């Protein structure tokens, strides 16, 4: 509707120029917004204010000249000027009826946009070290990253999802050592288990598997070789578990990228050599440093330690350079909030490689606090134990977990109440929204059973002029702005925009359903209302799909 109003305003402004009312035909960037108060109409524009400098006229005078040339009729009921020059539009009820036809015609494509213009975007998320199972924090990052990718794709971007496997470096060696020591313990040896090694039952399980696979003689193996074998076995086994857990959570990736491959292919050294040749990497105290301070970082950063070992920053430089070399126009990384200090150094390396800072975005996901019945919940106090993503999905289900993870902006901490997520009532957000889809499915099934829909295929709405109730017009208005919310969500990289929209649509439907019967004793009115609720059903389905949540037919 906003696009339609813009066209009407531009047409009237062009007329005003042709008639000599306006001195210029230049069109400004204007806003069209819903007023806070219903008495101010359906939409309001600041066209007159932003045109004052162009037309060299007072805003009120501009508004008067424009309004005089706007035609009212089937779409616009009346136009008013308010305050210094705001123009308020009051639309007729029938202006909203075509929304239903657009939904029924476009179906699964309703709400899709082309704002992305096929720009090639990579979204990298989760990327947890294969040193342990995914925990609840990874779950929120997975839901955010996967939904951002879905929304961007729906908004016209060419999106690829990637998981970066940290299968190189100190943490993998520590994993191997942890498994090796537990293996020796199982073989009857008394060992000292260092504090910096990985704890938890899963390490014990992995040690038992390695011992069973290689036999009792494995304990006599050279320690360095044994640790490498344990590290490789454990990392692969944990990664298989991560893939399985993510699949159960509805998350798949187009690419699983190995950090070790950057070393094996020589790309890390290549990146270091390139920046050294440009004096962006220099030697000091036996170490190699990147001049990140020249690009806005608080200090320069080490890429190769004085013992010759590279830092994670070195491989991250090579990895991000490699991303752009693959042809991505834009890279989006989803990180935990504790990585905030890492943004500047990665951004510095990207800018240093000749790209623009705008081609790199980082989504920082805040922590999740688990609750049970409103009280803080911890799975166990034993060292090394934590609540895994699998625990959450097994208890509340994929849909509830994803919807709850996306119920607030990732900029804010999230209280996730397990008991609320399991409830079958309006207190549970996912149930509240999914129930709309299931309820409408039931209504349509009943209409078929009563032969009301005998010859109706709903390729377009029926008797839409009968949709005049306040609650019906309100539903139509919300359905109309679905695409606007998709575009806002894509532009801001905030999937909770879609959560908020769906909750609003569900609330409007529940209010409507509680006040009006859909199947009435008047067939024409029934068909009109069936057309409307079918439109609601399709938009609920499309919106839930963007969040990776199913739209059940029955509940």
């Amino acid at each position: 509707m906003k696009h339609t109003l813009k066209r009407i305003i531009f047409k009237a402004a062009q007329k005003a120029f042709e008639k000599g009312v306006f001195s210029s035909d230049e069109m400004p960037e204007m806003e069209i917004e819903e007023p806070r108060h219903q008495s101010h109409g359906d939409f309001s524009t600041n066209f007159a204010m932003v045109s004052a400098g162009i037309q060299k006229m007072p805003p009120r005078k501009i508004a008067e000249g424009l309004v005089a040339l706007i035609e009212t009729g089937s779409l616009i009921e009346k136009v008013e000027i308010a305050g210094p020059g705001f123009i308020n539009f009051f639309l007729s009820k029938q202006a909203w009826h075509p929304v239903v036809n657009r939904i029924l015609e476009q179906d699964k494509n309703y709400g899709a946009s082309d704002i992305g213009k096929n720009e090639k975007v990579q979204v990298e998320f989760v990327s947890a070290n294969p040193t342990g199972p995914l925990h609840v924090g990874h779950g929120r990052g997975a839901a955010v990253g996967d939904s951002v990718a879905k929304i961007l794709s729906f908004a016209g971007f060419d999106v690829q999802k990637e998981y970066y496997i940290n299968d190189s470096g100190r943490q993998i060696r520590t994993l191997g050592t942890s498994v090796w020591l537990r293996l020796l313990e199982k073989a009857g040896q008394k060992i000292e288990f260092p504090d910096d090694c990985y704890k938890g039952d899963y390490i014990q399980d992995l040690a038992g598997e390695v011992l069973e696979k290689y036999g009792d003689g494995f304990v006599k193996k050279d320690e360095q070789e044994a640790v490498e074998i344990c590290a490789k076995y454990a990392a692969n086994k944990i990664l298989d578990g991560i893939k399985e857990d993510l699949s159960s959570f509805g998350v798949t990736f187009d690419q699983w990228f190995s950090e070790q491959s950057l070393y094996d292919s020589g790309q890390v050294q290549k990146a270091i050599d390139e920046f050294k040749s440009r004096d962006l990497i220099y030697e000091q105290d036996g170490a190699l440093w990147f001049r990140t301070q020249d690009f806005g970082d608080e200090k320069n950063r080490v890429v190769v330690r004085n013992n010759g070992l590279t830092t994670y920053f070195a491989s991250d430089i090579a990895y991000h350079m490699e991303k752009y070399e693959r042809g991505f126009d834009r890279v989006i990384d989803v990180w935990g909030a504790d990585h905030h200090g890492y943004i500047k150094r990665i951004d510095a390396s990207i800018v240093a490689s000749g790209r623009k800072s705008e081609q790199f975005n980082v989504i920082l996901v805040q922590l999740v606090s688990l609750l049970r019945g409103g009280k803080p919940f911890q799975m166990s106090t034993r060292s090394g134990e934590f609540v895994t993503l699998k625990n959450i999905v097994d208890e509340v289900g994929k849909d509830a977990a994803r919807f709850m993870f996306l119920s607030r902006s990732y900029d804010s901490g999230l209280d996730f109440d397990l008991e609320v997520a399991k409830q079958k009532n309006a207190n549970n957000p996912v149930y509240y929204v999914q129930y709309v889809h299931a309820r409408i499915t039931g209504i349509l099934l009943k209409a078929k059973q009563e032969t009301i829909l005998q010859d109706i295929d709903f390729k377009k709405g029926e008797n839409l002029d009968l949709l005049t109730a306040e609650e019906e017009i309100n539903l139509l208005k919300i359905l109309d702005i679905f695409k606007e919310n998709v575009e806002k969500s894509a532009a801001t990289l905030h999937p909770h925009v879609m959560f908020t929209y769906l909750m609003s649509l569900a609330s409007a439907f529940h209010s409507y359903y509680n006040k009006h019967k859909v199947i009435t004793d008047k067939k024409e009115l029934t068909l009109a209302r069936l057309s409307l609720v079918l439109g609601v059903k399709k938009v609920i389905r499309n919106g839930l799909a963007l969040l990776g949540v199913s739209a059940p037919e029955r509940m």
Side-chain angles (χ1 to χ4, degrees), residues 1-9 32 43 76 89:
M1 192 63 71
K2 289 183 179 180
H3 293 298
T4 301
L5 284 177
K6 271 191 178 181
R7 287 196 297 271
I8 290 171
I9 292 167
I32 296 180
F43 294 101
I76 299 172
F89 294 88

Side-chain angles (χ1 to χ4, degrees), residues 286 304-310:
V304 181
R305 299 184 182 91
N306 54 18
N307 62 4
L309 294 177
T310 55

Side-chain angles (χ1 to χ4, degrees), residues 422-493:
K422 290 190 290 184
Q423 290 178 16
K424 306 293 183 185
N425 57 40
N427 293 326
N428 180 358
V430 73
Y431 184 89
Y432 187 70
V433 175
Q434 286 181 323
Y435 189 70
V436 173
H437 191 271
R439 166 68 76 184
I440 295 172
T441 302
I443 293 169
L444 293 166
L445 181 61
K446 184 181 178 185
K448 283 182 181 177
Q449 291 169 344
E450 295 182 8
T451 70
I452 298 169
L453 298 183
Q454 195 168 5
D455 301 314
I456 306 297
D457 60 10
F458 281 124
K459 289 183 179 176
K460 63 182 182 66
E462 298 284 333
N463 310 314
L464 298 178
D465 57 317
L466 298 178
L467 299 175
T468 58
E470 181 182 339
E471 293 79 11
E472 289 168 338
I473 301 304
N474 186 43
L475 267 176
L476 289 166
K477 288 179 179 180
I478 296 172
L479 293 171
D480 180 62
I481 61 171
F482 180 52
K483 182 177 180 180
E484 180 183 327
N485 277 269
V486 169
E487 292 179 344
K488 179 182 177 183
S489 188
T492 62
L493 303 180

Side-chain angles (χ1 to χ4, degrees), residues 1-12 30 32-33 42-45 66 70 75-76 78-79 87-91 95-96:
M1 192 63 71
K2 289 183 179 180
H3 293 298
T4 301
L5 284 177
K6 271 191 178 181
R7 287 196 297 271
I8 290 171
I9 292 167
F10 284 162
K11 185 178 177 182
M30 63 175 167
I32 296 180
E33 295 184 341
D42 295 293
F43 294 101
S44 179
T45 181
L66 186 79
I70 291 177
L75 183 67
I76 299 172
K78 65 175 179 175
V79 187
I87 303 172
N88 296 334
F89 294 88
F90 296 78
L91 304 189
W96 299 102

Side-chain angles (χ1 to χ4, degrees), residues 64-76:
E64 289 169 356
L66 186 79
V67 168
L69 294 168
I70 291 177
E71 297 175 8
T72 57
S74 61
L75 183 67
I76 299 172

Side-chain angles (χ1 to χ4, degrees), residues 61-270:
K61 196 79 174 171
I62 293 171
E64 289 169 356
L66 186 79
V67 168
L69 294 168
I70 291 177
E71 297 175 8
T72 57
S74 61
L75 183 67
I76 299 172
E77 205 166 76
K78 65 175 179 175
V79 187
E80 291 181 350
I81 301 170
F86 286 104
I87 303 172
N88 296 334
F89 294 88
F90 296 78
L91 304 189
S92 63
K93 289 180 178 179
Q94 59 261 41
W96 299 102
H97 295 153
V99 175
V100 175
N101 287 333
R102 289 203 302 274
I103 297 169
L104 299 182
E105 179 187 338
Q106 295 170 24
D107 198 16
K108 290 185 178 180
N109 290 321
Y110 181 74
S113 171
D114 61 358
I115 61 167
K117 301 187 186 305
N118 217 35
E119 181 183 3
K120 196 171 181 182
V121 178
Q122 186 214 56
V123 184
E124 182 227 317
F125 59 104
V126 185
S127 298
N129 296 330
T131 54
L134 297 178
H135 56 63
V136 64
H138 294 133
R140 191 181 190 190
V144 168
D146 194 49
S147 298
V148 164
K150 289 178 186 296
I151 291 163
L152 287 174
S153 182
F154 200 57
F157 293 85
D158 178 5
V159 183
Q160 287 192 31
K161 299 182 291 181
E162 184 152 306
Y163 187 114
Y164 181 54
I165 308 166
N166 298 108
D167 54 358
S168 177
R170 182 181 58 81
Q171 288 180 310
I172 296 298
R173 291 193 296 273
T174 302
L175 174 66
T177 301
S178 304
V179 173
W180 168 243
L181 292 176
R182 290 304 189 200
L183 185 151
L184 294 178
E185 198 173 54
K186 284 181 179 293
Q189 295 187 27
K190 190 169 183 178
I191 57 106
E192 289 288 331
F193 199 78
D195 289 337
D196 63 347
C197 278
Y198 294 106
K199 302 174 179 66
D201 291 344
Y202 72 97
I203 296 294
Q204 299 272 14
D205 295 340
L206 289 165
E209 291 174 21
V210 173
L211 190 58
E212 184 178 348
K213 180 177 181 179
Y214 291 101
D216 294 338
F218 188 73
V219 298
K220 297 176 183 177
K221 215 167 196 41
D222 172 73
E223 182 172 340
Q224 184 176 342
E225 186 182 352
V227 167
E228 287 178 4
I229 291 171
C230 287
K232 186 173 182 181
Y233 178 88
N236 288 335
K237 189 69 186 285
I238 290 170
L239 188 61
D240 287 342
I242 287 172
K243 289 179 178 180
E244 189 176 323
D245 290 349
L246 287 170
S247 178
S248 299
F249 195 50
V251 175
T252 57
F253 290 90
D254 300 302
Q255 173 94 333
W256 294 77
F257 193 97
S258 161
E259 178 188 9
Q260 184 60 46
S261 71
L262 294 167
Y263 289 97
D264 295 342
S265 65
Q267 285 175 287
V268 175
Q269 191 58 50
K270 178 185 171 187

